[in-house]
Amino acid sequence: MFIKKRIKQIIVVFLASILIACEDFVEVDAPDYKIIRDDVFSSEETAKSAMTGIYNELFRSSFSNGTQYSVTVLGALSGNLLKNIRETNLTRMEFQQHEITPENTSNLFLWTSAYNMIYMTNAFLEGLQSSEKISSEVKNQLQGEAKFVRAFTYFYLVNLYGDVPLVLTTDYEQNELASRTYSEEIYTQIILDLEDAIEVLTSENQDIRTKVNRYTAMALLARVHLYNQQWQKAEELSSQVISNNSYILLEELNDVFLANSQEAIWQISPVGSGAATTHTNEGNFFIIDPVFSFLASVKLDENFIENFSEEDLRLSTWISYNESLNAYFPFKYKIWNSNEQPSTEYSMVLRLAEQFLIRAEARLMQDNFTGAIEDINTIRNRAGLAPLSNTDNLETEVLLDELMEQRSKEIFTEWGHRWLDLKRTGRYEHIWENNPLWEETDLRYPIPADERIKNPNLTQNPGY
Amino acid sequence: MKNNYSRLKWVALIILGGILFFLSKAAQAATTTLPLQEQEVSGLVEDKNGLPIPGVTVKVKNTNRGTVTNLDGEYNITAPAKGILVFSYIGFRTVEIAVENNAEINVQLEEDVASLGEVKINAGYYTTTEREQTGNISKVTAEEIELQPVVSPIQALQGRMAGVEITPGGSNPGTASTIRIRGTNSLREEGNYPLYIIDGVPINSTPVETNSIIGTAGIDPLNNLNVSNIESIEVLKDADATAIYGSRGANGVVLITTKTGKQRGTGLEARFYTGVATVPNRLDLLNTEEYLEVRRAAFENDGVEPTAQNAYDLVTWDQDRYTDWQDFFYGGTAETTNANISFSGGSDKTFFRLGGSYFSQGTVYPGDNTYNKITGNFNLDHSSEDEKLKLNFSANYGVDINDLFWSNSISSSTVLLPPNAPDLFTEDGSLNWEEWAVADLENPLAGYYNRGRTETNNLLSNLGLSYQILNNLQVRLNAGYTYYESQELMKRPGRSYNPSAGEPNNSFHLNSHRKSWILEPQLIFNDNFGDVNLDAIIGGTFQENTNSQVRYQGSGYVTESLIGNLDAAERVINASSQTNQYRYAAVFARIGTNWKRKIFINFTGRRDGSSRFGPENRFANFGAIGAAWIFTEEELIKNALSFLSFGKLRGSYGSTGNDQIGDYGYLDSYEATPGPGGLYPVSLANPSFSWEVNKKLEAALELGIFKDKLNLGISWYRNRSSNQLVGYPLPAITGFNTVQANLPATVENSGWEVEISSLNFNSDDFRWQTSLNFSIPKNSLVSYPEIEQSSYANTYRIGHPVNISLLYRYEGIDPETGLYQIADINGDGSFDYEDRVVIQDLTREYYGGINNNLSFKNFSLQFLLQYVKHEGMVSFFNAGRPTNQRDVVLDALNSNEDYQRISQLPATNQAYNNAINSNLAIQDASFLRLKTFSLGYNLPGSLLQSFGLRDGKIFLTGQNLFTISPYEGLDPELSYSSTSFGNLRTVTAGLQFNF
């Protein structure tokens, strides 16, 4: 085909210049609101910010935030501690009645938020690992904090669901079809993470209870060993925490749940919400305001209240009563809602009283009755109760009953303790033996249906 | 809410006034003849009714000399005695007359009706004609859409084009509609937007985020365009037409061309209409008496004593109170007003058009919420004396003011409130929380005191420059700049919300900016080599889009009146700002060849680069080939099939791409946490995803019969979209629910499209034209290796459409329990995805529209019927629960045949929930709808002249006047839910004058 020479030239020059310009033109820089992962871990400052991010997100993450989707509330409903005031909220009723459907949205939120937290810690650990610009001192400390949070999250997953997928990397191609791992293996990983954490974490930093230090990890590991009936290890670790002077069993029960309370081993600050409100979600959900009592959702179970003796200070300070609804409600947190800065109450995760209870149980199971009674009395004493009498004649079973009673009265509506205690000790049996809706398989929450749609390798727990 | 009928009064008044006006005026015609002048030619150009036509171009053939007729249709030109004058005007047949020493040449122009084949089609970078196009391009013109009382031009296209499916996003003015050109290509909802190009400038077709009641559907980005200022809308469908848009053409291209002065001639055009819109349908729900009867029966059947805890509606609430919640929430009347004025003018080498409009529309919801828009536009055309240099500039500016705030949304749960539900307000006028909370319900008017405003400013500008370097070589530069800014303030006083939330007085601020520029240098070359003609265009594109969004919340205002004034806020929280940048570059070429204008072959190619992909995957090539053969040009066929006035076979094949995904998806990155001082990962990153590719194949036959009185086009297409770019759903154990990735899946859209237009009758007084479009689309997920091992295993089925629902199989009423029963396929005693064996297709089976244009003397009538065949879902037959139900459940009081036992037990509810997820809930949702209707009266010419008017018209239009459907939900078009509706019944009336 003949084209005039000049036109040919024009076209060639035109095309060449556009092609050259194209290549560079489509390069764009990262936007102002994003930091590339490698950059996050290229300085200590930003790496620390990423850990702060994890702490912040614990207050927004469903499973850990103390709202009606959290372990605290759902566990207390399952554990016969809380009752729904009205029966119309089916999502919460299913937990109360042990009739959870795999489609239950609260159950889904619980699961997805926990795994999102695990992703965050995995991403953080991977980032730290590959970074060469962070001193080993800072690296160790941050690694310890993240491993603690990962172990903490798996602890609840394995206790609520049984076998769960063990995800330790951020590689979604590898993880998306992961099947469930035996709970023993999950526990092995939890213990590994916590032992690593204890080794590298600083024993300082104890004034700020929202940050994880060596003793925080010990406290959780003590609980893990207790759950696995490693009595000696549980006793050793709880003893180490108890003997640390910065943790004090507060005389005044009203002060226990305050921000950075000396009894606290680990707390989550409401600052993480990023919102104007500064109250804890537990306070907001549990407290029945006298003016707005019609807004209340849950109350404490009457049988639970009846078990308290009148002089028990925990009944008078940690439980309150609303006349119009004839309802008792948890009053550990005193603030229903607040915009005041800074927050005066933090959400409690681990506290010293539980360590006494852990040690008491560990000692008891090792037949150290004196030691066990000593610890139980520490808790009774603080609650304004007389020490156990005739201690010489007490049998293990009776003492164990007393210990479980103290556990339920001391750490009620905190992090599903009651539900997990009933499960691990087999004590659920006489509670529900006459309940036609109860089945043994209700001990495990169902794997969310949504999750099984997307991952065909996830099996369902029996009974669902 | 204003008086529902005040607008109807207006409508009646305008019609009445119009009629009186004609009767009282005597017709006068005045014709003047210019005196003869030597060496000059002058004359009068008229239409067949003897009315002068201003703005007609009069040219001396083969010269650059020319003029236009004035307001009286007169012209004056110096012409050589042996020259030829060419008279041309849009919509009329061009006439050539030899001067032959005549000093006066009067011309009567004939309307250009039969020459459909010569209609110019805008194909984006080039223009073609219906006769010669090798691709598939549908077109609507100004006449079809300009009177429609719609906010966005997209809405005006409903039912008018084959292969173009438009579904309203809701009933609120300004809500973005969904548009699908030839089906759903991408498994990603947001990956199916077509490319919008206005006067050569691409604009972001993603709906704009808002806090207003428009909600998640978002604001239509085309809202700021004045519908009356649109000259034509072309939709490009096949590979030949879309490949020149390369990576952005996969979902089709919508080209919007605004009016220019050149097409209009000199004149002033003014139009005004006003009207009302209502929700045309209601669900048949129970009244209080029926509702309570059903509820009482439920407790009786269950042997349960109603108490304040389990039956607040029976025990606590007033047993006689009745509220029709449907009337309360959407029983209002939305008012619409539009005023439009434009002026155009110019001379031989320069034309301009200047216009402005006002539009307002209310809502059917309680409260005084309106959407207002004001637009202005300017268009300028200029060419140099020698016609070598040409310039076109257009600017469209629009301001939207939208007060659509008050509550978060009206959801289905609000209309299904028990009919005896408590009052919304307490005696002191504040929102009633207590009585509702007792029943564990939120006052449905939560948010009632919220006020807000979205103000949007939008500038679209385009400059086109071209220069003829050589006889056959032209250089052209197309430059565009768009700016879109939306500022939104929502005032949320604490008293709007449930006191437990402890909400302080809040203000929510959301500001969005979209800015883009584009530069497209092009070379256009044409030549002929014997019988072979060659047209080629080579060009490049450089485009940059910057989208930014700033949001923050002012909190703790001391008093309600200060909300929004940040100085008075206790603090500013939840602040976030984001700026995203997108860059796009391309080279493209189209070479068109034809042999004797009989056989056409076109090649299109494009190389695209997009910043949305990782550095390894930024560039890709796309291309297409299209061919056509006008067989009626062959003597043999022409003689054998003499009834055929036109016949063409055409076909095309090629590839286009899709890069509609979020920016920076390949970056593994962290963002700031809402809490202070923290960073966290917000999504999974995949550095290796790349383009989605859509291969399109088309074959078509076009015929003109009886001198083009009947035109018929049949096309068959098959589009295969592979390398699906999706937010691939992941189980939460991976940390997130989705990741951006390419799927090995292939989605196929194929189908038949028929477009027929006929001139049924054409005489001086009566003219009747019908056009019909009909589409049979077929959508199918053709392949997906290892789907069982993917997270889509329980969402899609190979060999079935993408838009399916997997349902349980309904087994009838269980005779023992009296409850709905579904099949337990795997027999494991529980129901999950393994039991969902019914594959329900929810895509349209076929759809079409018939448009009729009739004119008799001065009257004109236009109406469009739309027909869609598809299935929908209908629910609300759960008798016994404390929510209202459709009144069909009354059957269950006496019989257990169709509906399950009335009961309030959880097990009954579970049985119902299973049933609505079974084929029991499926219902035929096909419908026939009178989509648009308009009746016009053209003022008689004689009368017009006496007022100095060129044209005058009064008109009455209606939208969605009636719908016939077996569907029992609110709107068969939005049949995925019984309570969704999007098509209001609108009636407007107005006047139009051209001076």
mmCIF file with all atom_site columns, all heavy atoms in Angstrom, chain A residues 33 35 37 116 274 295 339 451 453, chain B residues 498 571 574 580 668 670 732 735 833:
data_model
loop_
_atom_site.group_PDB
_atom_site.id
_atom_site.type_symbol
_atom_site.label_atom_id
_atom_site.label_alt_id
_atom_site.label_comp_id
_atom_site.label_asym_id
_atom_site.label_entity_id
_atom_site.label_seq_id
_atom_site.pdbx_PDB_ins_code
_atom_site.Cartn_x
_atom_site.Cartn_y
_atom_site.Cartn_z
_atom_site.occupancy
_atom_site.B_iso_or_equiv
_atom_site.pdbx_formal_charge
_atom_site.auth_seq_id
_atom_site.auth_comp_id
_atom_site.auth_asym_id
_atom_site.auth_atom_id
_atom_site.pdbx_PDB_model_num
ATOM 1   N N   . TYR A 1 33  ? -2.997  7.607   52.553 1.00 0.00 ? 33  TYR A N   1
ATOM 2   C CA  . TYR A 1 33  ? -3.590  6.985   53.726 1.00 0.00 ? 33  TYR A CA  1
ATOM 3   C C   . TYR A 1 33  ? -3.138  5.542   53.932 1.00 0.00 ? 33  TYR A C   1
ATOM 4   O O   . TYR A 1 33  ? -3.642  4.846   54.785 1.00 0.00 ? 33  TYR A O   1
ATOM 5   C CB  . TYR A 1 33  ? -5.116  7.059   53.652 1.00 0.00 ? 33  TYR A CB  1
ATOM 6   C CG  . TYR A 1 33  ? -5.715  6.317   52.490 1.00 0.00 ? 33  TYR A CG  1
ATOM 7   C CD1 . TYR A 1 33  ? -6.228  5.039   52.658 1.00 0.00 ? 33  TYR A CD1 1
ATOM 8   C CD2 . TYR A 1 33  ? -5.748  6.881   51.220 1.00 0.00 ? 33  TYR A CD2 1
ATOM 9   C CE1 . TYR A 1 33  ? -6.756  4.348   51.593 1.00 0.00 ? 33  TYR A CE1 1
ATOM 10  C CE2 . TYR A 1 33  ? -6.269  6.192   50.152 1.00 0.00 ? 33  TYR A CE2 1
ATOM 11  C CZ  . TYR A 1 33  ? -6.779  4.934   50.343 1.00 0.00 ? 33  TYR A CZ  1
ATOM 12  O OH  . TYR A 1 33  ? -7.298  4.243   49.285 1.00 0.00 ? 33  TYR A OH  1
ATOM 13  N N   . ILE A 1 35  ? 0.227   2.761   54.235 1.00 0.00 ? 35  ILE A N   1
ATOM 14  C CA  . ILE A 1 35  ? 1.664   2.561   54.377 1.00 0.00 ? 35  ILE A CA  1
ATOM 15  C C   . ILE A 1 35  ? 1.939   1.136   53.931 1.00 0.00 ? 35  ILE A C   1
ATOM 16  O O   . ILE A 1 35  ? 1.280   0.199   54.379 1.00 0.00 ? 35  ILE A O   1
ATOM 17  C CB  . ILE A 1 35  ? 2.120   2.713   55.843 1.00 0.00 ? 35  ILE A CB  1
ATOM 18  C CG1 . ILE A 1 35  ? 1.628   4.030   56.411 1.00 0.00 ? 35  ILE A CG1 1
ATOM 19  C CG2 . ILE A 1 35  ? 3.625   2.618   55.940 1.00 0.00 ? 35  ILE A CG2 1
ATOM 20  C CD1 . ILE A 1 35  ? 1.938   4.193   57.872 1.00 0.00 ? 35  ILE A CD1 1
ATOM 21  N N   . ARG A 1 37  ? 3.414   -2.457  53.727 1.00 0.00 ? 37  ARG A N   1
ATOM 22  C CA  . ARG A 1 37  ? 3.772   -3.310  54.855 1.00 0.00 ? 37  ARG A CA  1
ATOM 23  C C   . ARG A 1 37  ? 5.275   -3.247  55.174 1.00 0.00 ? 37  ARG A C   1
ATOM 24  O O   . ARG A 1 37  ? 5.668   -3.131  56.336 1.00 0.00 ? 37  ARG A O   1
ATOM 25  C CB  . ARG A 1 37  ? 3.369   -4.766  54.561 1.00 0.00 ? 37  ARG A CB  1
ATOM 26  C CG  . ARG A 1 37  ? 3.373   -5.602  55.819 1.00 0.00 ? 37  ARG A CG  1
ATOM 27  C CD  . ARG A 1 37  ? 3.739   -7.047  55.549 1.00 0.00 ? 37  ARG A CD  1
ATOM 28  N NE  . ARG A 1 37  ? 2.570   -7.883  55.348 1.00 0.00 ? 37  ARG A NE  1
ATOM 29  C CZ  . ARG A 1 37  ? 2.522   -9.196  55.629 1.00 0.00 ? 37  ARG A CZ  1
ATOM 30  N NH1 . ARG A 1 37  ? 3.559   -9.791  56.165 1.00 0.00 ? 37  ARG A NH1 1
ATOM 31  N NH2 . ARG A 1 37  ? 1.438   -9.880  55.368 1.00 0.00 ? 37  ARG A NH2 1
ATOM 32  N N   . ASN A 1 116 ? -9.747  -12.611 62.404 1.00 0.00 ? 116 ASN A N   1
ATOM 33  C CA  . ASN A 1 116 ? -9.165  -11.366 61.920 1.00 0.00 ? 116 ASN A CA  1
ATOM 34  C C   . ASN A 1 116 ? -8.042  -10.934 62.866 1.00 0.00 ? 116 ASN A C   1
ATOM 35  O O   . ASN A 1 116 ? -6.991  -10.461 62.441 1.00 0.00 ? 116 ASN A O   1
ATOM 36  C CB  . ASN A 1 116 ? -10.244 -10.286 61.819 1.00 0.00 ? 116 ASN A CB  1
ATOM 37  C CG  . ASN A 1 116 ? -9.688  -8.970  61.345 1.00 0.00 ? 116 ASN A CG  1
ATOM 38  O OD1 . ASN A 1 116 ? -9.555  -8.038  62.116 1.00 0.00 ? 116 ASN A OD1 1
ATOM 39  N ND2 . ASN A 1 116 ? -9.336  -8.886  60.071 1.00 0.00 ? 116 ASN A ND2 1
ATOM 40  N N   . GLY A 1 274 ? -12.219 4.692   68.909 1.00 0.00 ? 274 GLY A N   1
ATOM 41  C CA  . GLY A 1 274 ? -12.090 5.852   68.034 1.00 0.00 ? 274 GLY A CA  1
ATOM 42  C C   . GLY A 1 274 ? -13.312 6.740   68.058 1.00 0.00 ? 274 GLY A C   1
ATOM 43  O O   . GLY A 1 274 ? -13.414 7.699   67.311 1.00 0.00 ? 274 GLY A O   1
ATOM 44  N N   . LEU A 1 295 ? -34.933 -0.107  78.085 1.00 0.00 ? 295 LEU A N   1
ATOM 45  C CA  . LEU A 1 295 ? -33.963 -0.421  77.046 1.00 0.00 ? 295 LEU A CA  1
ATOM 46  C C   . LEU A 1 295 ? -33.094 -1.622  77.393 1.00 0.00 ? 295 LEU A C   1
ATOM 47  O O   . LEU A 1 295 ? -32.309 -2.080  76.568 1.00 0.00 ? 295 LEU A O   1
ATOM 48  C CB  . LEU A 1 295 ? -33.047 0.782   76.821 1.00 0.00 ? 295 LEU A CB  1
ATOM 49  C CG  . LEU A 1 295 ? -33.758 2.050   76.373 1.00 0.00 ? 295 LEU A CG  1
ATOM 50  C CD1 . LEU A 1 295 ? -32.837 3.240   76.495 1.00 0.00 ? 295 LEU A CD1 1
ATOM 51  C CD2 . LEU A 1 295 ? -34.233 1.895   74.948 1.00 0.00 ? 295 LEU A CD2 1
ATOM 52  N N   . ASN A 1 339 ? -18.983 10.368  77.794 1.00 0.00 ? 339 ASN A N   1
ATOM 53  C CA  . ASN A 1 339 ? -18.119 10.953  76.769 1.00 0.00 ? 339 ASN A CA  1
ATOM 54  C C   . ASN A 1 339 ? -16.900 11.608  77.401 1.00 0.00 ? 339 ASN A C   1
ATOM 55  O O   . ASN A 1 339 ? -16.166 12.320  76.741 1.00 0.00 ? 339 ASN A O   1
ATOM 56  C CB  . ASN A 1 339 ? -18.885 12.019  75.977 1.00 0.00 ? 339 ASN A CB  1
ATOM 57  C CG  . ASN A 1 339 ? -20.012 11.408  75.190 1.00 0.00 ? 339 ASN A CG  1
ATOM 58  O OD1 . ASN A 1 339 ? -19.828 10.393  74.534 1.00 0.00 ? 339 ASN A OD1 1
ATOM 59  N ND2 . ASN A 1 339 ? -21.192 11.998  75.288 1.00 0.00 ? 339 ASN A ND2 1
ATOM 60  N N   . GLU A 1 451 ? -19.041 -19.835 56.903 1.00 0.00 ? 451 GLU A N   1
ATOM 61  C CA  . GLU A 1 451 ? -17.649 -20.234 56.826 1.00 0.00 ? 451 GLU A CA  1
ATOM 62  C C   . GLU A 1 451 ? -17.527 -21.585 56.100 1.00 0.00 ? 451 GLU A C   1
ATOM 63  O O   . GLU A 1 451 ? -16.601 -21.806 55.338 1.00 0.00 ? 451 GLU A O   1
ATOM 64  C CB  . GLU A 1 451 ? -17.139 -20.330 58.261 1.00 0.00 ? 451 GLU A CB  1
ATOM 65  C CG  . GLU A 1 451 ? -15.670 -20.232 58.432 1.00 0.00 ? 451 GLU A CG  1
ATOM 66  C CD  . GLU A 1 451 ? -15.074 -18.894 58.054 1.00 0.00 ? 451 GLU A CD  1
ATOM 67  O OE1 . GLU A 1 451 ? -15.808 -17.996 57.565 1.00 0.00 ? 451 GLU A OE1 1
ATOM 68  O OE2 . GLU A 1 451 ? -13.857 -18.766 58.210 1.00 0.00 ? 451 GLU A OE2 1
ATOM 69  N N   . ILE A 1 453 ? -19.598 -22.652 53.873 1.00 0.00 ? 453 ILE A N   1
ATOM 70  C CA  . ILE A 1 453 ? -19.906 -22.463 52.452 1.00 0.00 ? 453 ILE A CA  1
ATOM 71  C C   . ILE A 1 453 ? -18.617 -22.130 51.707 1.00 0.00 ? 453 ILE A C   1
ATOM 72  O O   . ILE A 1 453 ? -18.358 -22.615 50.623 1.00 0.00 ? 453 ILE A O   1
ATOM 73  C CB  . ILE A 1 453 ? -20.922 -21.314 52.281 1.00 0.00 ? 453 ILE A CB  1
ATOM 74  C CG1 . ILE A 1 453 ? -22.263 -21.719 52.864 1.00 0.00 ? 453 ILE A CG1 1
ATOM 75  C CG2 . ILE A 1 453 ? -21.054 -20.933 50.819 1.00 0.00 ? 453 ILE A CG2 1
ATOM 76  C CD1 . ILE A 1 453 ? -23.262 -20.597 52.914 1.00 0.00 ? 453 ILE A CD1 1
ATOM 77  N N   . ASN B 2 498 ? -32.611 6.586   70.277 1.00 0.00 ? 498 ASN B N   1
ATOM 78  C CA  . ASN B 2 498 ? -32.844 5.864   71.504 1.00 0.00 ? 498 ASN B CA  1
ATOM 79  C C   . ASN B 2 498 ? -31.899 6.352   72.606 1.00 0.00 ? 498 ASN B C   1
ATOM 80  O O   . ASN B 2 498 ? -30.699 6.371   72.416 1.00 0.00 ? 498 ASN B O   1
ATOM 81  C CB  . ASN B 2 498 ? -32.541 4.404   71.168 1.00 0.00 ? 498 ASN B CB  1
ATOM 82  C CG  . ASN B 2 498 ? -33.018 3.478   72.206 1.00 0.00 ? 498 ASN B CG  1
ATOM 83  O OD1 . ASN B 2 498 ? -32.883 3.778   73.387 1.00 0.00 ? 498 ASN B OD1 1
ATOM 84  N ND2 . ASN B 2 498 ? -33.577 2.364   71.791 1.00 0.00 ? 498 ASN B ND2 1
ATOM 85  N N   . ARG B 2 571 ? -15.724 17.991  70.314 1.00 0.00 ? 571 ARG B N   1
ATOM 86  C CA  . ARG B 2 571 ? -14.541 17.481  69.627 1.00 0.00 ? 571 ARG B CA  1
ATOM 87  C C   . ARG B 2 571 ? -14.900 16.955  68.244 1.00 0.00 ? 571 ARG B C   1
ATOM 88  O O   . ARG B 2 571 ? -16.055 16.698  67.944 1.00 0.00 ? 571 ARG B O   1
ATOM 89  C CB  . ARG B 2 571 ? -13.854 16.398  70.449 1.00 0.00 ? 571 ARG B CB  1
ATOM 90  C CG  . ARG B 2 571 ? -14.736 15.214  70.716 1.00 0.00 ? 571 ARG B CG  1
ATOM 91  C CD  . ARG B 2 571 ? -14.042 14.222  71.609 1.00 0.00 ? 571 ARG B CD  1
ATOM 92  N NE  . ARG B 2 571 ? -15.032 13.436  72.318 1.00 0.00 ? 571 ARG B NE  1
ATOM 93  C CZ  . ARG B 2 571 ? -15.551 13.767  73.495 1.00 0.00 ? 571 ARG B CZ  1
ATOM 94  N NH1 . ARG B 2 571 ? -15.166 14.872  74.107 1.00 0.00 ? 571 ARG B NH1 1
ATOM 95  N NH2 . ARG B 2 571 ? -16.460 13.010  74.058 1.00 0.00 ? 571 ARG B NH2 1
ATOM 96  N N   . ASN B 2 574 ? -13.504 10.540  64.465 1.00 0.00 ? 574 ASN B N   1
ATOM 97  C CA  . ASN B 2 574 ? -13.665 9.676   63.288 1.00 0.00 ? 574 ASN B CA  1
ATOM 98  C C   . ASN B 2 574 ? -13.272 10.371  62.001 1.00 0.00 ? 574 ASN B C   1
ATOM 99  O O   . ASN B 2 574 ? -13.932 10.228  60.980 1.00 0.00 ? 574 ASN B O   1
ATOM 100 C CB  . ASN B 2 574 ? -15.112 9.197   63.162 1.00 0.00 ? 574 ASN B CB  1
ATOM 101 C CG  . ASN B 2 574 ? -15.431 8.144   64.201 1.00 0.00 ? 574 ASN B CG  1
ATOM 102 O OD1 . ASN B 2 574 ? -14.533 7.531   64.759 1.00 0.00 ? 574 ASN B OD1 1
ATOM 103 N ND2 . ASN B 2 574 ? -16.706 7.950   64.466 1.00 0.00 ? 574 ASN B ND2 1
ATOM 104 N N   . ASN B 2 580 ? -7.192  8.739   46.250 1.00 0.00 ? 580 ASN B N   1
ATOM 105 C CA  . ASN B 2 580 ? -6.794  7.655   45.363 1.00 0.00 ? 580 ASN B CA  1
ATOM 106 C C   . ASN B 2 580 ? -6.465  8.219   44.007 1.00 0.00 ? 580 ASN B C   1
ATOM 107 O O   . ASN B 2 580 ? -7.167  9.089   43.505 1.00 0.00 ? 580 ASN B O   1
ATOM 108 C CB  . ASN B 2 580 ? -7.945  6.656   45.180 1.00 0.00 ? 580 ASN B CB  1
ATOM 109 C CG  . ASN B 2 580 ? -8.136  5.805   46.398 1.00 0.00 ? 580 ASN B CG  1
ATOM 110 O OD1 . ASN B 2 580 ? -7.195  5.212   46.910 1.00 0.00 ? 580 ASN B OD1 1
ATOM 111 N ND2 . ASN B 2 580 ? -9.350  5.761   46.883 1.00 0.00 ? 580 ASN B ND2 1
ATOM 112 N N   . ASP B 2 668 ? 0.431   -4.390  49.532 1.00 0.00 ? 668 ASP B N   1
ATOM 113 C CA  . ASP B 2 668 ? 0.245   -4.963  50.854 1.00 0.00 ? 668 ASP B CA  1
ATOM 114 C C   . ASP B 2 668 ? 0.480   -3.819  51.835 1.00 0.00 ? 668 ASP B C   1
ATOM 115 O O   . ASP B 2 668 ? 1.602   -3.354  51.993 1.00 0.00 ? 668 ASP B O   1
ATOM 116 C CB  . ASP B 2 668 ? 1.268   -6.080  51.046 1.00 0.00 ? 668 ASP B CB  1
ATOM 117 C CG  . ASP B 2 668 ? 0.979   -6.876  52.295 1.00 0.00 ? 668 ASP B CG  1
ATOM 118 O OD1 . ASP B 2 668 ? 0.032   -6.525  53.008 1.00 0.00 ? 668 ASP B OD1 1
ATOM 119 O OD2 . ASP B 2 668 ? 1.713   -7.844  52.545 1.00 0.00 ? 668 ASP B OD2 1
ATOM 120 N N   . TYR B 2 670 ? -0.839  -1.060  55.283 1.00 0.00 ? 670 TYR B N   1
ATOM 121 C CA  . TYR B 2 670 ? -1.480  -0.804  56.562 1.00 0.00 ? 670 TYR B CA  1
ATOM 122 C C   . TYR B 2 670 ? -2.179  0.554   56.533 1.00 0.00 ? 670 TYR B C   1
ATOM 123 O O   . TYR B 2 670 ? -1.787  1.445   55.793 1.00 0.00 ? 670 TYR B O   1
ATOM 124 C CB  . TYR B 2 670 ? -0.433  -0.791  57.685 1.00 0.00 ? 670 TYR B CB  1
ATOM 125 C CG  . TYR B 2 670 ? -0.085  -2.153  58.233 1.00 0.00 ? 670 TYR B CG  1
ATOM 126 C CD1 . TYR B 2 670 ? 0.384   -3.157  57.392 1.00 0.00 ? 670 TYR B CD1 1
ATOM 127 C CD2 . TYR B 2 670 ? -0.219  -2.441  59.592 1.00 0.00 ? 670 TYR B CD2 1
ATOM 128 C CE1 . TYR B 2 670 ? 0.704   -4.409  57.889 1.00 0.00 ? 670 TYR B CE1 1
ATOM 129 C CE2 . TYR B 2 670 ? 0.105   -3.692  60.101 1.00 0.00 ? 670 TYR B CE2 1
ATOM 130 C CZ  . TYR B 2 670 ? 0.567   -4.679  59.242 1.00 0.00 ? 670 TYR B CZ  1
ATOM 131 O OH  . TYR B 2 670 ? 0.876   -5.913  59.731 1.00 0.00 ? 670 TYR B OH  1
ATOM 132 N N   . ALA B 2 732 ? -13.296 -16.662 56.748 1.00 0.00 ? 732 ALA B N   1
ATOM 133 C CA  . ALA B 2 732 ? -12.712 -15.693 57.676 1.00 0.00 ? 732 ALA B CA  1
ATOM 134 C C   . ALA B 2 732 ? -11.432 -16.193 58.316 1.00 0.00 ? 732 ALA B C   1
ATOM 135 O O   . ALA B 2 732 ? -10.668 -15.405 58.851 1.00 0.00 ? 732 ALA B O   1
ATOM 136 C CB  . ALA B 2 732 ? -13.729 -15.340 58.753 1.00 0.00 ? 732 ALA B CB  1
ATOM 137 N N   . GLY B 2 735 ? -8.387  -14.381 57.686 1.00 0.00 ? 735 GLY B N   1
ATOM 138 C CA  . GLY B 2 735 ? -8.236  -13.044 58.250 1.00 0.00 ? 735 GLY B CA  1
ATOM 139 C C   . GLY B 2 735 ? -9.253  -12.076 57.694 1.00 0.00 ? 735 GLY B C   1
ATOM 140 O O   . GLY B 2 735 ? -9.673  -11.140 58.358 1.00 0.00 ? 735 GLY B O   1
ATOM 141 N N   . TYR B 2 833 ? -26.330 -26.285 53.135 1.00 0.00 ? 833 TYR B N   1
ATOM 142 C CA  . TYR B 2 833 ? -26.160 -26.096 51.702 1.00 0.00 ? 833 TYR B CA  1
ATOM 143 C C   . TYR B 2 833 ? -26.228 -27.391 50.902 1.00 0.00 ? 833 TYR B C   1
ATOM 144 O O   . TYR B 2 833 ? -26.523 -27.392 49.723 1.00 0.00 ? 833 TYR B O   1
ATOM 145 C CB  . TYR B 2 833 ? -24.885 -25.294 51.420 1.00 0.00 ? 833 TYR B CB  1
ATOM 146 C CG  . TYR B 2 833 ? -25.251 -23.856 51.321 1.00 0.00 ? 833 TYR B CG  1
ATOM 147 C CD1 . TYR B 2 833 ? -25.397 -23.068 52.447 1.00 0.00 ? 833 TYR B CD1 1
ATOM 148 C CD2 . TYR B 2 833 ? -25.594 -23.308 50.079 1.00 0.00 ? 833 TYR B CD2 1
ATOM 149 C CE1 . TYR B 2 833 ? -25.835 -21.771 52.351 1.00 0.00 ? 833 TYR B CE1 1
ATOM 150 C CE2 . TYR B 2 833 ? -26.022 -22.009 49.964 1.00 0.00 ? 833 TYR B CE2 1
ATOM 151 C CZ  . TYR B 2 833 ? -26.143 -21.232 51.109 1.00 0.00 ? 833 TYR B CZ  1
ATOM 152 O OH  . TYR B 2 833 ? -26.586 -19.952 50.991 1.00 0.00 ? 833 TYR B OH  1
#
